[in-house]
């Protein structure tokens, strides 16, 4: 049957030539559009390396008129860290809060980046995003641990401080005064430093800009990225550094709230109820917002939201027009073959056989057009003219997009043939032949 259809396509090559060209161009353009959407969707569905669902960022500020600028550790403890510890304690005791952590450094869904260079041999430097965190941060952000032991064992949760003072924000395994200092690295950073992430536990490396400052790997965590559409970047998480205590910096506070308490107006409730409670000289509650809102604002500011919306609308509009055009082409073509259909029926062909013949002809024509179209698409991938800002061009991605386009165009071809063919076969053969 396929041989017979191919002979018929060749015999009608003059009329099929334009249809072949249309299918070739449409297949290529549609593949490109589907590939762009796949790039966005795949990047969005990749794990970020942390979970910001039900997580809010609390910003604490200070009143300059109430600040006591301190020089000694004792005065820092009394006039800065004791009030900060009280603020943190009150936040943790809020009924809806499940866990809370303090941190500084690279944030998610913002342009706020903090970079640092690291090395194992004082020659080669590896740049990485850095976060200075209290031990509870791993629990608040649900950071998956790939390698670790003790408090950092894979699947371990509930990191809590037992130091008793915000001056340290630490427990025995997360001590900022230790040397070498503990650090948790993403697997790509461990791989860049040691050429493998396997067996990286307890290995040491140094600050590239201060060779005397060394780190020991306490754990290796999952890959991380700064937003849904970004690529994975190397990250390091360490205890708060010495300059944090000496410079009277104010960290951010991230809180994970109970799912049942995460309502649309939670931030407003928290702000209203906690503002008077967090006025612990010199500190006060400045702002609280969810990471969901931070993502929306960041995407809007960067134009990501409008870009993705425009891309999706263009693809949907293009697919709809292609669908109408292809269906109309095959519809018109099938209706003009009424006499051929009538003659086949008069010669004893069944309706099912005629329908299968017409559908097979249309689908085989699509297959023939898809072969050079796929070659063009492969060349586009090799020439790097596809969308690779969020995800890499891979054979898996290419095959998925090609199959999606082929299935979609097959549905268009079937829709353009099935109904007009069914209508043509309801006409009596004698009547159709008489009209001709």
């Amino acid at each position: 049957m396929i041989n017979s259809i191919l002979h018929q396509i060749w015999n009608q090559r003059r009329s099929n030539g334009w249809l072949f060209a249309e299918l070739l161009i449409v297949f290529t353009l549609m593949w490109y559009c589907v590939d762009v959407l796949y790039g966005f969707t795949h990047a969005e569905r990749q794990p970020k390396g942390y979970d910001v669902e039900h997580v809010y960022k609390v910003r604490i500020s200070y009143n300059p008129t109430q600040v006591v600028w301190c020089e000694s550790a004792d005065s820092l403890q009394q006039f800065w860290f004791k009030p900060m510890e009280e603020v943190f304690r009150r936040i943790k005791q809020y009924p809806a809060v499940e866990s809370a952590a303090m941190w500084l450094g690279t944030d998610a869904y913002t342009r706020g980046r903090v970079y640092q260079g690291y090395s194992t041999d004082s020659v080669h430097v590896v740049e990485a995003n850095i976060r200075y965190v209290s031990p509870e941060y791993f629990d608040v952000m649900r950071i998956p641990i790939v390698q670790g032991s003790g408090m950092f064992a894979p699947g371990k949760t509930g990191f809590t401080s037992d130091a008793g003072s915000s001056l340290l924000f630490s427990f025995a395994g997360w001590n900022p005064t230790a040397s070498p200092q503990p650090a948790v690295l993403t697997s790509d950073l461990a791989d860049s430093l040691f050429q493998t992430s396997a067996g990286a536990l307890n290995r040491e490396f140094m600050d590239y800009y201060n060779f005397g400052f060394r780190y020991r790997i306490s754990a290796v965590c999952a890959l991380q990225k700064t937003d849904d559409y970004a690529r994975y970047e190397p990250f390091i998480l360490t205890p708060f550094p010495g300059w944090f205590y000496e410079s009277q910096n104010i960290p951010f506070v991230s809180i994970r709230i109970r799912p049942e308490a995460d309502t649309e107006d939670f931030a407003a409730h928290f702000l209203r109820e906690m503002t008077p409670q967090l006025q612990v000289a010199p500190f006060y509650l400045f702002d609280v917002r969810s990471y969901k809102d931070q993502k929306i604002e960041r995407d809007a500011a960067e134009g990501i939201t409008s870009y993705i919306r425009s891309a999706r609308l263009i693809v949907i509009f293009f697919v709809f027009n292609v669908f109408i055009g292809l269906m109309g082409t095959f519809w018109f073509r099938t209706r003009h073959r009424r006499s051929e259909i009538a003659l086949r029926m008069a010669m004893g062909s069944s309706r099912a056989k005629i329908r299968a013949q017409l559908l097979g002809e249309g689908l085989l024509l699509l297959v023939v057009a898809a072969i050079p179209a796929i070659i063009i698409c492969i060349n586009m991938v090799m020439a790097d003219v596809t969308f690779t800002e969020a995800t890499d061009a891979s054979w898996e991605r290419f095959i998925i997009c090609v199959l999606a386009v082929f299935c979609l165009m097959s549905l268009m071809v079937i829709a353009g043939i099935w109904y007009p063919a069914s209508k043509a076969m309801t006409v009596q053969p004698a009547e159709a032949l008489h009209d001709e």
Side-chain angles (χ1 to χ4, degrees):
M1 184 177 178
I2 294 177
N3 234 6
S4 150
I5 294 173
L6 284 173
H7 276 97
Q8 186 165 349
I9 290 174
W10 177 254
N11 292 333
Q12 298 176 348
R13 57 186 177 277
R14 182 170 295 181
S15 60
N16 287 333
W18 291 105
L19 187 55
F20 173 86
E22 180 183 359
L23 290 171
L24 175 88
I25 294 170
V26 166
F27 192 101
T28 306
L29 293 177
M30 189 174 290
W31 169 83
Y32 185 83
C33 293
V34 170
D35 184 75
V36 170
L37 283 185
Y38 177 89
F40 279 121
T41 305
H42 181 71
E44 189 176 19
R45 289 181 176 274
Q46 281 182 319
K48 295 185 291 294
Y50 48 87
D51 179 15
V52 293
E53 187 74 17
H54 310 306
V55 178
Y56 287 72
K57 184 170 73 174
V58 179
R59 289 195 290 174
I60 305 297
S61 190
Y62 66 89
N63 187 340
T65 62
Q66 297 181 1
V67 173
V68 177
W69 297 109
C70 309
E71 294 183 359
S72 67
D74 290 339
S75 58
L76 274 171
Q77 175 72 3
Q78 181 179 353
F79 297 109
W80 191 258
F81 287 104
K82 280 293 185 183
M84 186 183 294
E85 181 183 29
E86 180 63 20
V87 168
F88 188 48
R89 185 185 67 81
R90 294 183 183 184
I91 291 174
K92 288 197 294 184
Q93 289 181 346
Y94 187 74
V97 173
E98 185 178 292
S99 54
M102 290 188 174
W103 62 275
L104 281 173
T106 298
D107 194 9
Y109 303 117
T110 68
R111 288 186 176 181
R113 303 290 186 92
V114 179
Y115 292 102
Q116 182 63 299
Y118 302 96
S119 176
T120 56
D121 55 12
S122 73
V123 176
H124 302 95
V125 60
V126 179
E127 294 287 337
N129 292 278
I130 187 167
R131 286 195 186 109
Y132 305 106
V133 303
S134 66
E136 300 90 350
Y137 186 83
F138 298 93
D139 183 35
V140 172
M141 303 302 285
R142 299 287 195 266
I143 296 177
I145 300 297
V146 179
Q147 299 177 48
S149 59
M151 285 293 186
F152 291 103
K156 182 74 176 179
T157 59
F159 293 84
T160 55
S161 173
D162 58 9
S165 170
S166 294
L167 183 60
L168 292 179
F169 300 121
S170 66
F171 55 72
W174 198 249
N175 190 348
T177 62
S179 181
Q181 194 169 102
V184 175
L185 280 61
T186 52
S187 54
D188 52 352
L189 178 55
D191 186 68
S192 297
L193 287 170
F194 303 106
Q195 286 70 56
T196 177
S197 60
L201 289 183
N202 297 319
R203 299 186 71 171
E204 294 185 14
F205 60 100
M206 67 188 75
D207 186 326
Y208 183 76
Y209 303 104
N210 182 5
F211 294 155
F213 200 87
R214 301 188 67 83
Y215 296 89
R216 177 181 286 117
I217 300 177
S218 300
V220 176
C221 65
L223 296 172
Q224 294 191 22
K225 54 183 182 176
T226 54
D227 63 74
D228 293 346
Y229 305 108
R231 287 179 172 272
Y232 288 116
E233 299 179 26
F235 270 83
I236 178 173
L237 295 91
T238 71
F240 286 97
W243 56 258
F244 168 77
Y245 305 102
E246 299 163 1
S247 305
Q248 296 183 241
N249 291 274
I250 301 179
F252 296 109
V253 178
S254 288
I255 58 174
R256 174 171 290 277
I257 65 172
R258 295 181 175 85
E260 62 272 14
D262 192 7
T263 58
E264 290 292 332
D265 55 353
F266 171 81
H269 275 296
F270 185 90
L271 199 62
R272 183 171 58 252
E273 293 176 10
M274 294 300 289
T275 295
Q277 294 191 43
L278 299 185
Q279 288 181 345
V280 182
F283 302 108
Y284 66 92
L285 177 59
F286 180 76
D287 185 32
V288 57
R289 67 171 60 185
S290 68
Y291 274 95
K292 178 182 177 182
D293 291 338
Q294 187 163 299
K295 166 184 162 50
I296 293 171
E297 291 179 14
R298 192 260 182 185
D299 288 351
E302 296 287 335
I304 296 174
T305 304
S306 57
Y307 182 81
I308 293 176
R309 186 185 296 117
S310 299
R312 285 174 178 165
L313 287 175
I314 289 170
V315 171
I316 292 170
F317 179 77
F318 177 74
V319 169
F320 176 76
N321 278 274
V322 167
F323 179 79
I324 296 298
L326 273 180
M327 192 173 70
T329 299
F330 278 100
W331 192 308
F332 179 80
R333 187 169 179 269
T334 305
R335 281 190 62 85
H336 273 258
R337 298 174 67 181
R338 286 179 66 204
S339 58
E340 178 189 335
I341 293 172
L343 183 58
R344 287 176 180 272
M345 291 175 65
M347 297 297 292
S349 292
S350 65
R351 285 182 169 83
K353 188 174 181 181
I354 295 172
R355 186 183 288 113
Q357 176 85 13
L358 294 173
L359 288 173
E361 186 179 331
L363 292 173
L364 197 56
L365 193 58
L366 173 61
V367 170
V368 172
I371 294 171
I374 291 173
I375 294 172
I376 293 172
C377 294
I378 290 173
N379 280 275
M380 291 173 67
V381 173
M382 300 298 289
D384 198 23
V385 296
T386 56
F387 176 77
T388 55
E389 283 78 1
T391 51
D392 291 326
S394 64
W395 285 113
E396 179 187 2
R397 171 180 172 179
F398 179 80
I399 292 169
I400 289 173
C401 292
V402 165
L403 289 177
V405 171
F406 186 82
C407 291
L408 191 59
M409 291 189 66
S410 296
L411 290 176
M412 296 177 189
V413 171
I414 292 170
I417 294 174
W418 187 281
Y419 184 73
S422 299
K423 291 288 288 182
M425 284 186 290
T426 58
V427 179
Q428 292 300 320
E431 183 182 341
L433 292 172
H434 175 72
D435 290 341
E436 291 296 325

